[in-house]
Amino acid sequence: MKKALLLLLTILLLVSCSEPIRQDRLLMGTNCSISVFAKSDEERIQECFDILSSIEKRISAKLSESEISKINKAAGKESVRVSEETFKLIKRSVELHKLTKGAFNPLIGKITALWNIGSGDEKVPEKAEIEFLVTHAREGEIVLDEANQTVYLTDEYTSLDLGAIGKGYASDVLSAFLEKEGVSKALINLGGNVYAVGKKSKKANWKIGLRNPDGNGLFTTVEIEDGAVVTSGAYERYFIQDGVKYHHIMDPDTGYPVNLDLTSVSIICEDATLADALSTAVFVLGKEEGIKLLTELGVNAVLLTRDKEIIKL
Ligand code: AMP
Ligand code: MG
């Protein structure tokens, strides 16, 4: 009897240890949730939220005191000295711009600000204004001075928007922090962009569900072990005018929301910043060009087309 009770207690303890300890916060304009699986790791959750909040204060183009806003205000006028972390991220964004053949364009800020999608007060901007800003976003440059750690935007009609890589970057920072702190198992979910730290169990990988763009449950699941699944979809933020839906992912060549054949793009990879840039870029490039780029880079992905074809790479 005693033995049976002991066994039951041990089983209960094992079950409770594998239950996630989860907390949620509204940060970076989205719901962020962190789960750990050991009671001793619970304190790390608050530290993760503190890190997220400090990242947001540094890189949000919407906060007027952020380092990105300071660079944007000085566009066409002068260079701005920034923290080492922000400098590295902007440098990375320049590399990712090249890697994605311009589909991810960090200088798209004036265009996204003009559309202001997600503000609740949107309307389609003037065509001439969009075209003017598209030319500037294409021709403007980001000048980086490594020695002085300064950033200079050459064109006053451009501004930085790192929204397409911000959540991926933040989850890379958090996963590195958790690993450094000895947390062997955790789940980071920043508005649907997931980073799984460690393995789920000895036998099983993490199963991450991918949301159906029409809001009806999941269209598939992917299995991962220690890495990110980052998704871009036209359903995340949008508004409707005269029966037409305008979403938040812009074609840098036109300045209008991308009108292509993909409705959801998920990138599966250890480097979440890369995954985030690619999720946006593949969405912009569309099925054919997107598959070409992903194959060239050897990166895994799940694409959903408008006619509901699921492509797993
Ligand atoms: P994501 O959800 O990662 O695809 O990022 C979308 C966000 O990135 C948008 O809300 C914009 O702020 C910004 N964005 C939209 N289109 C682009 C683009 N072509 N290149 C870079 N950033 C973009
Ligand atoms: Mg992205």
Side-chain angles (χ1 to χ4, degrees), residues 171-190:
S171 49
D172 276 332
V173 173
L174 290 189
S175 69
F177 165 74
L178 291 172
E179 273 159 27
K180 184 179 85 130
E181 293 296 317
V183 175
S184 57
K185 190 172 153 187
L187 263 187
I188 300 160
N189 187 340
L190 311 180

Side-chain angles (χ1 to χ4, degrees), residues 61 68 72 93 97 102-116 129-130 133-142 153 155 157-165 247-258 280-281 284:
I68 297 300
N72 289 344
S93 80
H97 179 230
F104 159 75
N105 184 354
L107 271 186
I108 206 164
K110 283 262 188 285
I111 297 170
T112 50
L114 179 68
W115 281 91
N116 207 5
E129 210 173 344
I130 295 175
L133 293 179
V134 163
T135 311
H136 287 271
R138 189 186 312 123
E139 290 168 9
E141 275 173 46
I142 304 171
L153 306 187
D155 187 323
Y157 298 106
T158 63
S159 66
L160 284 172
D161 173 0
L162 301 182
I165 56 169
H247 62 78
H248 70 135
I249 303 176
M250 301 291 153
D251 183 341
D253 285 337
T254 64
Y256 283 84
V258 185
T280 310
V284 171

Side-chain angles (χ1 to χ4, degrees), residues 55-76:
I55 291 177
E56 185 178 16
K57 284 192 187 121
R58 259 194 306 116
I59 70 166
S60 169
K62 293 200 177 100
L63 299 176
S64 64
E65 288 308 303
S66 73
E67 291 184 291
I68 297 300
S69 292
K70 284 182 184 151
I71 296 167
N72 289 344
K73 278 180 211 148

Side-chain angles (χ1 to χ4, degrees), residues 111-306:
I111 297 170
T112 50
L114 179 68
W115 281 91
N116 207 5
I117 295 178
S119 64
D121 182 29
E122 306 97 335
K123 62 174 186 342
V124 178
E126 292 293 324
K127 195 164 185 269
E129 210 173 344
I130 295 175
E131 283 169 356
F132 174 82
L133 293 179
V134 163
T135 311
H136 287 271
R138 189 186 312 123
E139 290 168 9
E141 275 173 46
I142 304 171
V143 180
L144 298 166
D145 180 339
E146 193 100 42
N148 294 308
Q149 227 168 264
T150 62
V151 183
Y152 173 57
L153 306 187
T154 56
D155 187 323
E156 66 175 306
Y157 298 106
T158 63
S159 66
L160 284 172
D161 173 0
L162 301 182
I165 56 169
K167 291 190 217 97
Y169 162 72
S171 49
D172 276 332
V173 173
L174 290 189
S175 69
F177 165 74
L178 291 172
E179 273 159 27
K180 184 179 85 130
E181 293 296 317
V183 175
S184 57
K185 190 172 153 187
L187 263 187
I188 300 160
N189 187 340
L190 311 180
N193 296 319
V194 178
Y195 200 112
V197 177
K199 216 170 146 50
K200 186 162 193 278
S201 71
K202 271 196 187 124
K203 288 187 195 133
N205 288 330
W206 302 97
K207 268 206 178 80
I208 312 294
L210 303 184
R211 249 183 72 192
N212 227 322
D214 61 15
N216 277 331
L218 308 175
F219 70 89
T220 191
T221 55
V222 290
E223 287 203 18
I224 52 164
E225 183 191 328
D226 223 344
V229 183
V230 179
T231 301
S232 285
Y235 55 90
E236 288 167 3
R237 261 182 290 142
Y238 63 88
F239 71 98
I240 294 170
Q241 186 176 313
D242 302 328
V244 182
K245 187 171 160 182
Y246 297 90
H247 62 78
H248 70 135
I249 303 176
M250 301 291 153
D251 183 341
D253 285 337
T254 64
Y256 283 84
V258 185
N259 184 17
L260 271 174
D261 40 10
L262 299 173
T263 53
S264 173
V265 175
S266 298
I267 307 293
I268 303 142
C269 132
E270 245 180 73
D271 178 342
T273 311
L274 172 67
D276 206 352
L278 287 177
S279 74
T280 310
V282 170
F283 199 95
V284 171
L285 291 169
K287 179 174 152 182
E288 205 175 305
E289 286 292 308
I291 291 177
K292 211 169 125 197
L293 177 66
L294 291 167
T295 314
E296 262 170 41
L297 298 173
V299 171
N300 293 327
V302 180
L303 317 181
L304 183 68
T305 68
R306 196 179 282 161

